[in-house]
């Protein structure tokens, strides 16, 4: 009688209970998720077309203007339209995960919810900043022959480099604003509506009260504390309200992201 040997499978390698995904790998995974979405590239493409196209149109239109004209204004002017695309992209960066259920996998891989929010914020902000840098450089180079002798004076940083750099910062904050609303509302349509409402609709509504009397002037003044108005302020060379505009521009995404962090910590995915 023979005895059959039973092979016992080797025990699986135990995973340390304190093993955590490094923040660098977390950022990399968030970048992969965002950059592999077709909607991301469509959004970036629309942003580039609007930014470059409107800048060139304004450069051509400025040839008929006989007064003083700062060519930097033509480069940053498209931001009034591209900010909407940036905000929508930021909102979709997280609401898409909620709609597909991928957010549960994300939080399983990285239970530290605050780290997930920060990593997404870093990726979204850097992506919009890099895109704006590229479109700004292309717009500057393409519009230089149109401006001719009125081209940007790079010797004066306060009227050239600084406003353009602040335009890059503004686009990143618009994307973070949308990301914050995405974490708060967790629904694509709702987050986009909130973002577009603050960036585009609310300024129009407040400006309608300019036709009213002095008793309604305080409503018109509230428009100065909206993200779009703050972006115009910080990108306008020599603005007397620069400090207030910069604080306002940074405060909006900071508050919404804090709200998103609170919702993420207190609710299930």
């Amino acid at each position: 009688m023979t005895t059959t040997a039973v092979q016992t499978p080797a025990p699986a390698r135990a995973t340390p209970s304190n093993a955590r995904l490094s923040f660098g790998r977390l950022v990399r995974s968030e970048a992969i998720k965002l950059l592999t979405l077709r909607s991301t590239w469509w959004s970036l493409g629309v942003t580039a077309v609007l930014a470059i196209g409107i800048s060139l149109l304004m450069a051509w239109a400025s040839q008929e203007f006989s007064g003083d004209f700062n060519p930097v204004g033509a480069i940053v002017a498209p931001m009034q339209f591209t900010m909407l695309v940036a905000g929508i992209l930021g909102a979709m960066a997280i609401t898409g995960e909620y709609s597909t259920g991928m957010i549960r996998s994300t939080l399983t891989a990285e239970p530290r919810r605050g780290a997930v929010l920060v990593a997404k914020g870093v990726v979204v902000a850097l992506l919009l900043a890099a895109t704006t840098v590229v479109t700004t450089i292309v717009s500057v180079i393409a519009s230089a022959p149109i401006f001719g002798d009125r081209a940007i004076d790079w010797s004066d940083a306060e009227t050239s480099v600084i406003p353009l750099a602040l335009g890059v910062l503004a686009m990143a904050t618009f994307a973070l604003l949308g990301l914050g609303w995405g974490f708060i509302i967790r629904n694509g349509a709702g987050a986009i509506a909130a973002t577009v409402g603050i960036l585009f609709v609310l300024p129009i509504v407040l400006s309608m009260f300019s036709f009213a009397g002095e008793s309604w002037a305080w409503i018109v003044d509230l428009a100065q504390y909206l993200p779009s108005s703050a972006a115009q302020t910080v990108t306008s060379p020599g603005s007397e309200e620069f400090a207030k505009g910069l604080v306002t521009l940074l405060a909006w995404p900071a508050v919404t992201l804090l709200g998103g962090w609170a919702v993420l910590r207190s609710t299930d995915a």
Side-chain angles (χ1 to χ4, degrees), residues 7-97:
Q7 294 183 349
T8 303
R13 181 177 298 178
T15 302
S17 59
N18 60 348
R20 289 182 176 179
L21 185 66
S22 67
F23 185 73
R25 291 181 179 273
L26 181 59
V27 170
R28 181 174 179 271
S29 66
E30 293 298 336
I32 292 174
K33 284 191 291 185
L34 187 60
L35 293 176
T36 51
L37 293 175
R38 189 179 303 172
S39 60
T40 298
W41 294 105
W42 273 106
S43 299
L44 297 180
V46 170
T47 300
V49 170
L50 288 175
I52 298 172
I54 296 176
S55 293
L56 293 178
L57 287 174
M58 291 199 65
W60 276 313
S62 69
Q63 294 177 328
E64 305 295 330
F65 185 67
S66 58
D68 294 332
F69 179 79
N70 185 359
V72 172
I75 307 300
V76 300
M79 185 170 55
Q80 298 302 311
F81 302 95
T82 57
M83 66 179 181
L84 299 177
V85 185
I88 291 172
L89 176 60
M92 291 191 303
I94 179 59
T95 56
E97 290 201 35

Side-chain angles (χ1 to χ4, degrees), residues 1-6:
M1 181 175 180
T2 59
T3 303
T4 304
V6 179

Side-chain angles (χ1 to χ4, degrees), residues 148 231 268-269:
D268 293 331

Side-chain angles (χ1 to χ4, degrees), residues 111-190:
R112 297 174 298 172
R113 301 191 173 197
V116 172
L117 185 146
V118 173
K120 285 186 177 293
V122 169
V123 171
V124 169
L126 289 180
L127 180 60
L128 264 297
T131 302
T132 307
V133 168
V134 172
T135 57
T136 298
I137 293 174
V138 173
S139 298
V140 168
I141 295 175
S143 62
I146 302 174
F147 286 125
D149 295 337
R150 300 182 304 155
I152 298 175
D153 181 11
W154 298 106
S155 62
D156 186 2
E158 292 186 358
T159 60
S160 58
V161 177
I162 294 178
L164 294 177
L166 290 170
V168 174
L169 174 65
M171 286 293 289
T173 61
F174 297 145
L176 292 177
L177 177 68
L179 181 66
W181 280 116
F183 272 107
I184 293 172
I185 300 178
R186 305 195 298 178
N187 175 270

Side-chain angles (χ1 to χ4, degrees), residues 232-249:
Q232 286 182 326
T233 299
V234 299
T235 55
S236 299
S239 174
E240 297 180 356
E241 302 291 336
F242 176 82
K244 182 174 71 175
L246 184 61
V247 171
T248 301
L249 185 65

